[in-house]
mmCIF file of all heavy atoms in Angstrom:
data_model
loop_
_atom_site.group_PDB
_atom_site.id
_atom_site.type_symbol
_atom_site.label_atom_id
_atom_site.label_comp_id
_atom_site.label_asym_id
_atom_site.label_seq_id
_atom_site.Cartn_x
_atom_site.Cartn_y
_atom_site.Cartn_z
ATOM 1 N N VAL A 1 0.831 -1.198 0.014
ATOM 2 C CA VAL A 1 0.006 0.012 -0.022
ATOM 3 C C VAL A 1 0.853 1.259 -0.027
ATOM 4 O O VAL A 1 0.538 2.218 -0.733
ATOM 5 C CB VAL A 1 -0.907 -0.055 1.225
ATOM 6 C CG1 VAL A 1 -1.617 1.339 1.379
ATOM 7 C CG2 VAL A 1 -1.957 -1.097 1.093
ATOM 8 N N ALA A 2 1.968 1.250 0.805
ATOM 9 C CA ALA A 2 2.821 2.422 0.890
ATOM 10 C C ALA A 2 3.559 2.623 -0.483
ATOM 11 O O ALA A 2 3.810 3.797 -0.838
ATOM 12 C CB ALA A 2 3.867 2.199 2.036
ATOM 13 N N LYS A 3 3.826 1.544 -1.184
ATOM 14 C CA LYS A 3 4.503 1.648 -2.496
ATOM 15 C C LYS A 3 3.560 1.820 -3.650
ATOM 16 O O LYS A 3 4.041 1.858 -4.821
ATOM 17 C CB LYS A 3 5.421 0.480 -2.704
ATOM 18 C CG LYS A 3 6.494 0.273 -1.711
ATOM 19 C CD LYS A 3 7.238 -1.032 -1.875
ATOM 20 C CE LYS A 3 8.319 -1.262 -0.817
ATOM 21 N NZ LYS A 3 8.964 -2.627 -0.971
ATOM 22 N N ARG A 4 2.244 1.738 -3.364
ATOM 23 C CA ARG A 4 1.227 1.785 -4.401
ATOM 24 C C ARG A 4 1.390 0.612 -5.373
ATOM 25 O O ARG A 4 1.179 0.694 -6.584
ATOM 26 C CB ARG A 4 1.255 3.122 -5.212
ATOM 27 C CG ARG A 4 0.891 4.293 -4.397
ATOM 28 C CD ARG A 4 -0.523 4.224 -3.819
ATOM 29 N NE ARG A 4 -1.525 4.198 -4.834
ATOM 30 C CZ ARG A 4 -2.094 5.315 -5.285
ATOM 31 N NH1 ARG A 4 -1.740 6.542 -4.821
ATOM 32 N NH2 ARG A 4 -3.060 5.236 -6.227
ATOM 33 N N ASP A 5 1.786 -0.558 -4.783
ATOM 34 C CA ASP A 5 1.889 -1.751 -5.565
ATOM 35 C C ASP A 5 0.549 -2.439 -5.632
ATOM 36 O O ASP A 5 0.276 -3.435 -4.914
ATOM 37 C CB ASP A 5 2.970 -2.676 -4.953
ATOM 38 C CG ASP A 5 3.454 -3.710 -5.929
ATOM 39 O OD1 ASP A 5 2.856 -3.931 -6.975
ATOM 40 O OD2 ASP A 5 4.520 -4.391 -5.658
ATOM 41 N N ILE A 6 -0.317 -1.876 -6.487
ATOM 42 C CA ILE A 6 -1.765 -2.279 -6.457
ATOM 43 C C ILE A 6 -1.978 -3.758 -6.731
ATOM 44 O O ILE A 6 -2.800 -4.369 -6.021
ATOM 45 C CB ILE A 6 -2.524 -1.371 -7.471
ATOM 46 C CG1 ILE A 6 -2.367 0.070 -7.105
ATOM 47 C CG2 ILE A 6 -3.979 -1.804 -7.498
ATOM 48 C CD1 ILE A 6 -2.759 0.379 -5.698
ATOM 49 N N PRO A 7 -1.326 -4.378 -7.700
ATOM 50 C CA PRO A 7 -1.546 -5.845 -7.905
ATOM 51 C C PRO A 7 -1.309 -6.715 -6.665
ATOM 52 O O PRO A 7 -2.036 -7.645 -6.445
ATOM 53 C CB PRO A 7 -0.635 -6.211 -9.094
ATOM 54 C CG PRO A 7 -0.311 -4.866 -9.771
ATOM 55 C CD PRO A 7 -0.387 -3.824 -8.759
ATOM 56 N N VAL A 8 -0.292 -6.362 -5.926
ATOM 57 C CA VAL A 8 0.020 -7.129 -4.731
ATOM 58 C C VAL A 8 -1.039 -6.868 -3.612
ATOM 59 O O VAL A 8 -1.474 -7.795 -2.963
ATOM 60 C CB VAL A 8 1.366 -6.783 -4.112
ATOM 61 C CG1 VAL A 8 1.680 -7.495 -2.826
ATOM 62 C CG2 VAL A 8 2.495 -7.049 -5.110
ATOM 63 N N VAL A 9 -1.526 -5.655 -3.527
ATOM 64 C CA VAL A 9 -2.602 -5.312 -2.538
ATOM 65 C C VAL A 9 -3.862 -6.103 -2.902
ATOM 66 O O VAL A 9 -4.530 -6.704 -1.998
ATOM 67 C CB VAL A 9 -2.873 -3.806 -2.526
ATOM 68 C CG1 VAL A 9 -4.030 -3.546 -1.583
ATOM 69 C CG2 VAL A 9 -1.638 -3.049 -2.090
ATOM 70 N N GLN A 10 -4.211 -6.164 -4.181
ATOM 71 C CA GLN A 10 -5.439 -6.856 -4.586
ATOM 72 C C GLN A 10 -5.282 -8.321 -4.291
ATOM 73 O O GLN A 10 -6.231 -8.967 -3.754
ATOM 74 C CB GLN A 10 -5.627 -6.675 -6.092
ATOM 75 C CG GLN A 10 -6.051 -5.278 -6.498
ATOM 76 C CD GLN A 10 -6.142 -5.115 -8.011
ATOM 77 O OE1 GLN A 10 -5.300 -5.611 -8.722
ATOM 78 N NE2 GLN A 10 -7.218 -4.435 -8.473
ATOM 79 N N ALA A 11 -4.128 -8.947 -4.546
ATOM 80 C CA ALA A 11 -3.925 -10.383 -4.292
ATOM 81 C C ALA A 11 -3.995 -10.647 -2.841
ATOM 82 O O ALA A 11 -4.668 -11.656 -2.424
ATOM 83 C CB ALA A 11 -2.552 -10.761 -4.877
ATOM 84 N N CYS A 12 -3.418 -9.834 -1.961
ATOM 85 C CA CYS A 12 -3.394 -10.064 -0.518
ATOM 86 C C CYS A 12 -4.869 -9.982 0.013
ATOM 87 O O CYS A 12 -5.290 -10.852 0.781
ATOM 88 C CB CYS A 12 -2.541 -9.019 0.159
ATOM 89 S SG CYS A 12 -0.744 -9.223 -0.033
ATOM 90 N N CYS A 13 -5.586 -8.966 -0.410
ATOM 91 C CA CYS A 13 -6.948 -8.816 0.078
ATOM 92 C C CYS A 13 -7.826 -9.969 -0.378
ATOM 93 O O CYS A 13 -8.615 -10.467 0.385
ATOM 94 C CB CYS A 13 -7.551 -7.489 -0.495
ATOM 95 S SG CYS A 13 -6.816 -6.020 0.144
ATOM 96 N N LEU A 14 -7.647 -10.471 -1.581
ATOM 97 C CA LEU A 14 -8.434 -11.562 -2.081
ATOM 98 C C LEU A 14 -8.108 -12.844 -1.313
ATOM 99 O O LEU A 14 -9.026 -13.676 -1.040
ATOM 100 C CB LEU A 14 -8.169 -11.778 -3.610
ATOM 101 C CG LEU A 14 -9.166 -12.619 -4.367
ATOM 102 C CD1 LEU A 14 -10.552 -12.015 -4.282
ATOM 103 C CD2 LEU A 14 -8.753 -12.837 -5.826
ATOM 104 N N ILE A 15 -6.819 -13.057 -1.036
ATOM 105 C CA ILE A 15 -6.452 -14.249 -0.275
ATOM 106 C C ILE A 15 -6.999 -14.205 1.134
ATOM 107 O O ILE A 15 -7.514 -15.212 1.651
ATOM 108 C CB ILE A 15 -4.924 -14.406 -0.255
ATOM 109 C CG1 ILE A 15 -4.378 -14.795 -1.617
ATOM 110 C CG2 ILE A 15 -4.467 -15.407 0.804
ATOM 111 C CD1 ILE A 15 -2.938 -14.933 -1.740
ATOM 112 N N PHE A 16 -6.922 -13.050 1.762
ATOM 113 C CA PHE A 16 -7.479 -12.962 3.142
ATOM 114 C C PHE A 16 -9.015 -13.216 3.140
ATOM 115 O O PHE A 16 -9.521 -13.909 4.036
ATOM 116 C CB PHE A 16 -7.204 -11.546 3.678
ATOM 117 C CG PHE A 16 -5.853 -11.329 4.277
ATOM 118 C CD1 PHE A 16 -5.160 -10.121 4.040
ATOM 119 C CD2 PHE A 16 -5.255 -12.317 5.036
ATOM 120 C CE1 PHE A 16 -3.896 -9.943 4.588
ATOM 121 C CE2 PHE A 16 -3.968 -12.114 5.545
ATOM 122 C CZ PHE A 16 -3.293 -10.989 5.330
ATOM 123 N N ALA A 17 -9.699 -12.672 2.104
ATOM 124 C CA ALA A 17 -11.152 -12.889 2.048
ATOM 125 C C ALA A 17 -11.442 -14.363 1.792
ATOM 126 O O ALA A 17 -12.356 -14.915 2.394
ATOM 127 C CB ALA A 17 -11.677 -12.064 0.887
ATOM 128 N N GLY A 18 -10.678 -15.031 0.917
ATOM 129 C CA GLY A 18 -10.912 -16.442 0.578
ATOM 130 C C GLY A 18 -10.700 -17.282 1.814
ATOM 131 O O GLY A 18 -11.540 -18.228 2.116
ATOM 132 N N ILE A 19 -9.691 -17.022 2.602
ATOM 133 C CA ILE A 19 -9.373 -17.828 3.836
ATOM 134 C C ILE A 19 -10.506 -17.651 4.805
ATOM 135 O O ILE A 19 -10.980 -18.573 5.476
ATOM 136 C CB ILE A 19 -8.032 -17.375 4.388
ATOM 137 C CG1 ILE A 19 -6.903 -17.803 3.500
ATOM 138 C CG2 ILE A 19 -7.827 -18.015 5.779
ATOM 139 C CD1 ILE A 19 -5.567 -17.268 3.857
ATOM 140 N N TYR A 20 -10.996 -16.366 5.011
ATOM 141 C CA TYR A 20 -12.015 -16.119 5.963
ATOM 142 C C TYR A 20 -13.321 -16.835 5.591
ATOM 143 O O TYR A 20 -13.968 -17.409 6.408
ATOM 144 C CB TYR A 20 -12.254 -14.601 6.084
ATOM 145 C CG TYR A 20 -13.085 -14.208 7.295
ATOM 146 C CD1 TYR A 20 -12.436 -13.983 8.491
ATOM 147 C CD2 TYR A 20 -14.475 -14.078 7.217
ATOM 148 C CE1 TYR A 20 -13.149 -13.620 9.627
ATOM 149 C CE2 TYR A 20 -15.169 -13.677 8.298
ATOM 150 C CZ TYR A 20 -14.499 -13.474 9.556
ATOM 151 O OH TYR A 20 -15.269 -13.147 10.669
ATOM 152 N N ILE A 21 -13.644 -16.794 4.293
ATOM 153 C CA ILE A 21 -14.884 -17.506 3.848
ATOM 154 C C ILE A 21 -14.745 -18.994 4.041
ATOM 155 O O ILE A 21 -15.680 -19.683 4.457
ATOM 156 C CB ILE A 21 -15.136 -17.135 2.409
ATOM 157 C CG1 ILE A 21 -15.576 -15.676 2.285
ATOM 158 C CG2 ILE A 21 -16.239 -18.032 1.782
ATOM 159 C CD1 ILE A 21 -15.665 -15.184 0.795
ATOM 160 N N LEU A 22 -13.558 -19.544 3.690
ATOM 161 C CA LEU A 22 -13.371 -20.969 3.807
ATOM 162 C C LEU A 22 -13.429 -21.480 5.254
ATOM 163 O O LEU A 22 -14.078 -22.480 5.577
ATOM 164 C CB LEU A 22 -11.976 -21.347 3.222
ATOM 165 C CG LEU A 22 -11.669 -22.825 3.194
ATOM 166 C CD1 LEU A 22 -12.656 -23.609 2.307
ATOM 167 C CD2 LEU A 22 -10.207 -23.028 2.683
ATOM 168 N N LEU A 23 -12.880 -20.655 6.150
ATOM 169 C CA LEU A 23 -12.877 -21.072 7.598
ATOM 170 C C LEU A 23 -14.315 -20.915 8.170
ATOM 171 O O LEU A 23 -14.709 -21.754 9.045
ATOM 172 C CB LEU A 23 -11.914 -20.285 8.404
ATOM 173 C CG LEU A 23 -10.471 -20.620 8.176
ATOM 174 C CD1 LEU A 23 -9.480 -19.666 8.939
ATOM 175 C CD2 LEU A 23 -10.168 -22.072 8.643
ATOM 176 N N ASN A 24 -15.071 -19.899 7.709
ATOM 177 C CA ASN A 24 -16.449 -19.865 8.136
ATOM 178 C C ASN A 24 -17.290 -21.037 7.612
ATOM 179 O O ASN A 24 -18.134 -21.559 8.349
ATOM 180 C CB ASN A 24 -17.049 -18.523 7.637
ATOM 181 C CG ASN A 24 -16.843 -17.364 8.582
ATOM 182 O OD1 ASN A 24 -17.609 -17.101 9.483
ATOM 183 N ND2 ASN A 24 -15.763 -16.642 8.319
ATOM 184 N N LEU A 25 -17.031 -21.473 6.373
ATOM 185 C CA LEU A 25 -17.648 -22.619 5.849
ATOM 186 C C LEU A 25 -17.309 -23.862 6.669
ATOM 187 O O LEU A 25 -18.239 -24.646 7.016
ATOM 188 C CB LEU A 25 -17.313 -22.810 4.375
ATOM 189 C CG LEU A 25 -17.716 -24.139 3.720
ATOM 190 C CD1 LEU A 25 -19.222 -24.232 3.684
ATOM 191 C CD2 LEU A 25 -17.055 -24.294 2.400
ATOM 192 N N SER A 26 -16.060 -24.002 7.041
ATOM 193 C CA SER A 26 -15.608 -25.160 7.791
ATOM 194 C C SER A 26 -16.329 -25.140 9.169
ATOM 195 O O SER A 26 -16.677 -26.198 9.718
ATOM 196 C CB SER A 26 -14.107 -25.099 7.985
ATOM 197 O OG SER A 26 -13.446 -25.121 6.742
ATOM 198 N N ALA A 27 -16.468 -23.954 9.786
ATOM 199 C CA ALA A 27 -17.122 -23.846 11.085
ATOM 200 C C ALA A 27 -18.532 -24.329 11.003
ATOM 201 O O ALA A 27 -19.012 -25.108 11.820
ATOM 202 C CB ALA A 27 -17.105 -22.392 11.549
#
């Protein structure tokens, strides 16, 4: 975010969202 490296920010956010959804499904 500090470097405005937008593709990396998008990838990190998407991975965090995917993990959260998957763990909620597992619960």
Side-chain angles (χ1 to χ4, degrees):
V1 170
K3 298 174 183 176
R4 294 301 295 268
D5 198 347
I6 301 306
V8 177
V9 177
Q10 289 176 320
C12 290
C13 292
L14 196 63
I15 287 176
F16 279 140
I19 293 171
Y20 195 85
I21 291 171
L22 183 61
L23 287 174
N24 272 274
L25 170 65
S26 302

